[in-house]
């Protein structure tokens, strides 16, 4: 199977430069003795994919897409315990345990992780087949559809940011940005018993969806007031998750943070926000960044998805798209027309 597969071709959505994506025929990846070949079931479109394509950071020739689940299509000669048809996600790589990030308990930014070459997502999953080491497979629980399991990676991201911020049920939490990341963060916060989660979002469709996934209050950004100098706003927040990546949203969100509050940068963006350091000092606020996943990898995310406590049908857009629709869908996502996570199936619509 290993040799046969490598000579076959598959459809893939390939970034060709100039903000364009084309469907091309690429070789099905070859697998080594300890690998499996996985047929991609669904792959979500991530904000990172949008940045890479629409802001043209991606390297021409690369295949994007890293939020996916699939089924085992072939197993290497040395692989035990995995059968064809098994439904899986590929876990994150563990930290090395020895570098200066890992020794401080922060394996999410392990310095010895496989090189984070953000320009070369050549192993992306906007295609039909992917190779992966069998040792990194996690079985999708029986009662969780494979399509829903494609939310594992972004759910692991949300869990990591929430754990880093040490959120407790009594916290008053603000989430800025009601796109897929903000919605997932909101839903996970609610599943953790956090009672008061306010979402700020300009697009009406996303505001509606934020409410549906459990936000206690939803506001437009202009409803958040500027803070008086050195003092909190009338109803400040103990924790803020900035999920939009927009400088203006971050600056406004910083104004909403209470004494001893924690501000988490989750969304990336091209223009950096201005931070009033005087305010951070006199109010003893903590500003942190959240990147990647907890040391436990994807298993807690997979268990949370399977627990039934997240509104998966609201977090995932109802209509899946095909490989040839990735680029137009990216433009619709940027326009805020699609609140939830859009899933790509490795097929062509024509
Ligand atoms: Zn992602
Ligand atoms: Zn490390």
């Amino acid at each position: 199977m290993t040799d046969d597969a490598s000579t076959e071709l598959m459809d893939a959505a390939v970034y060709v430069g100039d903000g364009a994506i084309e469907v091309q025929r690429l070789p099905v990846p070859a697998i080594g003795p300890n690998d499996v070949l996985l047929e991609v079931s669904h792959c979500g479109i991530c904000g990172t994919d949008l940045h890479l394509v629409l802001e043209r950071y991606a390297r021409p020739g690369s295949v994007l897409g890293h939020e996916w689940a699939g089924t085992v299509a072939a197993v290497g000669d040395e692989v035990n315990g995995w059968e064809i048809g098994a439904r899986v996600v590929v876990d994150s790589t563990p930290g090395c345990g020895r570098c200066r990030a890992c020794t401080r308990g922060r394996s999410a930014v392990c310095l010895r992780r496989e090189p984070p070459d953000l320009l070369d997502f050549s192993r992306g999953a906007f295609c039909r087949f992917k190779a992966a080491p069998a040792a990194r497979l996690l079985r999708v629980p029986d009662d969780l559809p494979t399509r829903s399991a494609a939310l594992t990676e972004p759910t692991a991201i949300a869990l990591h940011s929430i754990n880093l911020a040490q959120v407790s049920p009594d916290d008053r939490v603000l989430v800025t940005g009601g796109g897929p990341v903000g919605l997932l963060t909101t839903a996970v916060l609610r599943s953790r018993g956090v009672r008061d989660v306010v979402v700020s979002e300009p697009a009406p469709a996303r505001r509606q969806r934020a409410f549906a996934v459990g936000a206690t209050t939803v506001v437009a950004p202009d409803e958040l007031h500027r803070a008086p100098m050195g003092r909190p706003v009338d109803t400040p927040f103990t924790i803020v998750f900035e999920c939009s990546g927009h400088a203006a949203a971050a600056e406004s969100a910083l104004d909403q943070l209470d004494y001893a509050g924690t501000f988490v940068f989750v969304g990336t963006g091209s223009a950096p926000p201005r931070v009033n350091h005087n305010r951070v000092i006199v109010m003893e606020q903590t500003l942190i960044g959240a990147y990647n996943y907890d040391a436990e990898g994807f298993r807690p995310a997979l268990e949370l998805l399977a627990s039934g406590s997240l509104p998966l049908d609201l977090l995932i857009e109802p209509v899946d798209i095909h490989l040839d629709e990735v680029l137009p869908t990216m433009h619709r996502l940027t326009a805020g027309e699609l609140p939830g996570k859009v899933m790509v199936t490795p097929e062509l619509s024509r």
Side-chain angles (χ1 to χ4, degrees):
M1 184 69 202
T2 306
D3 295 334
D4 294 339
S6 64
T7 60
E8 291 169 18
L9 296 176
M10 63 176 178
D11 290 320
V14 181
Y15 180 72
V16 294
D18 289 330
I21 291 175
E22 269 176 17
V23 175
Q24 296 181 358
R25 300 283 288 167
L26 295 186
V28 170
I31 57 169
N34 296 303
D35 297 335
V36 293
L37 185 70
L38 298 172
E39 180 168 11
V40 176
S41 164
H42 291 82
C43 180
I45 299 178
C46 175
T48 306
D49 298 322
L50 300 184
H51 287 300
L52 287 165
V53 170
L54 304 180
E55 292 165 30
R56 307 179 179 200
Y57 295 122
R59 184 172 298 156
S62 57
V63 175
L64 307 182
H66 55 271
E67 303 178 354
W68 62 285
T71 55
V72 174
V75 295
D77 296 338
E78 314 266 299
V79 173
N80 289 313
W82 292 102
E83 71 287 359
I84 293 189
R87 303 181 308 118
V88 297
V89 295
V90 181
D91 203 353
S92 58
T93 47
C96 71
R98 294 182 308 278
C99 73
R100 61 183 191 272
C102 284
T103 52
R104 301 189 74 212
R106 302 293 285 274
S107 61
V109 285
C110 173
L111 280 76
R112 295 199 187 124
R113 209 171 273 283
E114 46 189 279
D117 185 351
L118 294 178
L119 301 182
D120 180 19
F121 272 78
S122 55
R123 289 154 296 177
F126 293 150
C127 59
R128 185 168 289 277
F129 292 104
K130 298 260 301 155
R136 281 177 54 205
L137 298 186
L138 293 177
R139 201 175 284 271
V140 174
D142 282 345
D143 39 6
L144 184 68
T146 317
R147 177 175 183 262
S148 306
L151 268 190
T152 302
E153 193 266 2
T155 303
I157 298 247
L159 280 173
H160 181 55
S161 65
I162 289 166
N163 289 338
L164 273 183
Q166 300 181 306
V167 182
S168 70
D170 292 333
D171 276 311
R172 179 167 152 76
V173 181
L174 173 66
V175 175
T176 46
V181 176
L183 293 179
L184 198 45
T185 302
T186 301
V188 174
L189 284 165
R190 295 291 281 152
S191 80
R192 287 282 185 91
V194 180
R195 287 180 288 277
D196 198 357
V197 182
V198 177
V199 174
S200 167
E201 161 63 44
R206 288 181 162 175
R207 280 205 295 272
Q208 258 178 26
R209 189 71 64 90
F211 197 61
V213 303
T216 37
T217 311
V218 180
V219 298
D222 57 13
E223 294 175 62
L224 298 175
H225 299 123
R226 292 300 315 271
M229 192 166 69
R231 285 190 295 118
V233 291
D234 288 342
T235 49
F237 294 86
T238 49
I239 313 248
V240 172
F241 292 95
E242 204 306 289
C243 299
S244 77
H246 288 288
E251 288 167 15
S252 167
L254 280 160
D255 261 10
Q256 314 308 312
L257 194 61
D258 204 354
Y259 287 102
T262 299
F263 185 101
V264 192
F265 286 104
V266 179
T268 59
S270 38
R274 274 174 306 194
V275 175
N276 181 344
H277 62 303
N278 297 317
R279 190 173 174 79
V280 175
I281 293 167
V282 300
M283 296 182 70
E284 283 214 347
Q285 296 167 334
T286 305
L287 274 49
I288 60 177
Y291 188 60
N292 286 330
Y293 332 106
D294 289 335
E296 297 79 21
F298 286 0
R299 193 176 294 280
L302 205 48
E303 285 167 3
L304 177 59
L305 289 168
S307 73
S309 58
L310 299 182
L312 299 179
D313 50 338
L314 295 170
L315 294 169
I316 301 174
E317 284 299 302
V319 179
D320 296 338
I321 63 144
H322 302 116
L323 293 174
D324 51 299
E325 298 165 314
V326 170
L327 186 60
T329 305
M330 285 180 163
H331 287 291
R332 293 188 62 201
L333 280 163
T334 305
E337 289 174 29
L338 300 162
K341 179 64 70 179
V342 174
M343 292 294 174
V344 182
T345 59
E347 285 138 27
L348 300 182
S349 52
R350 46 192 152 68

